[in-house]
Each structure stands twice: as structure tokens, then as C-alpha cells.
Amino acid sequence: MKINHIAILVENIESALPFWRDALGLELAQLEEVSAESARVAFFPTGESEIELVQPTDPETGLGRYLQKNGGGLHHICLEVSDIDAMLKKLQDHKILLINESPRMRENGTQYAFIHPKSTGGVLVELYQLP
């Protein structure tokens, strides 16, 4: 298990670029629309992990409502696992509250699921299994 990425919720990716790309000097590796999550996402590699800027594209989604209620900032930490199904089963066996009881699939084949912050001490945690 390792940290795959740390996601930061922003109102506008273009407004965030002067800090992340220009001031810090991080390379913008990819900017993509994630239609399944109604979001735009910018990826900045940092060693073996990434910083991920997430911008909601619909104010009525969970991301959009979260941004309106809490503002921008740390959104979640993503842990990469080798067997997401086994990890979800293990978490369920330990009575951990899951947002996704089974993995969802990104267009690139990555499987992901979220663990509810009520079970983690207040941090939204995402699990990733790469294709």
C-alpha cells in the first residue's frame, strides 16, 4: 500500500495553477474531465505520488455541495492497493463505514472506492487499484 495521490478541492483549477505549477514548479502532467464524478482534475506528479486538484463541474453533486459548504482545501487521501475487493471485504469485516461497498471504475480501468470519514477520524480516504 502506498499513497497514490492527495486531492485538493478547488473552485477553479486555472486560478490554482499559479501556486501549484508556477510558484512551486510542479509539472502539470494531465488535465482531464471526469464525467462520472462531474469534475475536472489536474494531476501534478510528486515523486511516487501525485497532487490532484479537483474542481466540481456541477454544484448539485456531492463535490459541488461540499465545496459550497466547506470551501476549498484538502478533500481526500488516496491509498493504492493491490486487491481492492479484498480490502473492501476486510474493512467491512472490521465494521468500517464505506461510501462505496463495491469498487467503481474509471475510464482508464482504475477501480476506486471511498471510505466514509466517520470511520477514519474525519478524513475522506479513497482506495485505488490500478489496471
Side-chain angles (χ1 to χ4, degrees):
M1 188 178 311
K2 71 175 190 172
I3 294 175
N4 180 279
H5 66 267
I6 297 172
I8 299 169
L9 192 59
V10 297
E11 287 185 34
N12 184 285
I13 286 175
E14 283 74 20
S15 297
L17 288 177
F19 173 72
W20 295 98
R21 181 191 60 203
D22 304 336
L24 287 181
L26 296 177
E27 177 187 345
L28 175 59
Q30 185 176 353
L31 182 61
E32 70 179 48
E33 298 283 331
V34 182
S35 57
E37 300 297 332
S38 297
R40 291 180 68 217
V41 182
F43 298 93
F44 298 89
T46 54
E48 292 186 10
S49 301
E50 293 182 310
I51 300 290
E52 178 183 278
L53 301 183
V54 181
Q55 173 190 326
T57 56
D58 181 349
E60 298 304 316
T61 62
L63 276 174
R65 290 189 302 274
Y66 184 93
L67 181 63
Q68 290 172 5
K69 181 179 177 183
N70 301 299
L74 180 63
H75 186 258
H76 67 269
I77 296 173
C78 178
L79 299 174
E80 189 176 310
V81 298
S82 59
D83 186 340
I84 195 168
D85 292 314
M87 180 58 74
L88 290 172
K89 169 100 173 68
K90 179 179 180 179
L91 293 169
Q92 289 171 331
D93 291 347
H94 283 85
K95 309 293 186 224
I96 300 300
L97 182 59
L98 302 174
I99 293 174
N100 308 110
E101 292 187 7
S102 59
R104 298 182 74 184
M105 183 81 71
R106 289 189 58 201
E107 291 176 11
N108 68 358
T110 298
Q111 295 182 70
Y112 67 98
F114 284 94
I115 303 167
H116 201 286
K118 289 181 181 178
S119 293
T120 67
V123 177
L124 181 62
V125 175
E126 180 181 24
L127 301 175
Y128 249 29
Q129 180 180 323
L130 299 176

